[in-house]
Amino acid sequence: VQLQASGGGLVQPGGSLRLSCAASTFRSDIYAIGWFRQAPGKEREGVSCITSNDGSTYYSDSVKGRFTVSRDIAKNTVYLQMNSLKPEDTAVYYCASDSRGLSQCFIHRGVGPRDDYDYWGQGTQVTVSS
């Protein structure tokens, strides 16, 4: 599985960005797609995920109500719409896939830790600053 994240950039506080994660395969090879972020000096944290079988979505408390994850099956792409961005959202954002069906996301328990996901994209920088 190959993943390609894109869509990052510089945005003012309160602004919006949409990230994309294009997967080389979908459906049978991927059970869930997760979005993670890592700010300088901090641990990589999960922010959202979506399951492949039924499209269930999950969010961390820090982004709930502001971020929306969605998918376009025909395009093998998952999106992360980020609204009302804050300076603390500044980070490198990664998408990752669960190809084993073992993630917390796939069993409907939330985003889960990074170890739940076995394939990772290269990351895209999001900077929220005035």
Side-chain angles (χ1 to χ4, degrees):
V1 177
Q2 293 181 329
L3 302 171
Q4 180 78 29
S6 61
L10 173 64
V11 63
Q12 292 186 342
S16 299
L17 279 176
R18 189 178 78 159
L19 305 183
S20 299
C21 177
S24 58
T25 60
F26 218 50
R27 288 185 172 175
S28 62
D29 293 281
I30 296 177
Y31 291 86
I33 293 283
W35 283 100
F36 287 73
R37 66 185 182 187
Q38 188 165 18
K42 294 189 176 181
E43 294 287 321
R44 191 171 298 187
E45 64 165 334
V47 297
S48 184
C49 72
I50 185 167
T51 62
S52 295
N53 55 348
D54 61 4
S56 295
T57 59
Y58 300 92
Y59 302 91
S60 66
D61 289 343
S62 61
V63 307
K64 196 173 296 181
R66 300 188 297 122
F67 290 13
T68 303
V69 62
S70 62
R71 62 181 179 169
D72 185 330
I73 295 175
K75 295 182 178 179
N76 286 354
T77 301
V78 169
Y79 303 99
L80 185 66
Q81 178 67 43
M82 306 185 296
N83 298 329
S84 302
L85 283 162
K86 306 174 181 180
E88 51 264 44
D89 294 318
T90 295
V92 178
Y93 283 71
Y94 300 87
C95 61
S97 67
D98 165 24
S99 67
R100 300 165 294 185
L102 301 177
S103 65
Q104 295 293 305
C105 188
F106 183 66
I107 61 173
H108 303 289
R109 291 185 178 178
V111 180
R114 59 182 296 180
D115 288 346
D116 279 2
Y117 300 83
D118 49 345
Y119 290 94
W120 291 79
Q122 85 288 3
T124 184
Q125 176 71 46
V126 172
T127 302
V128 185
S129 174
S130 56

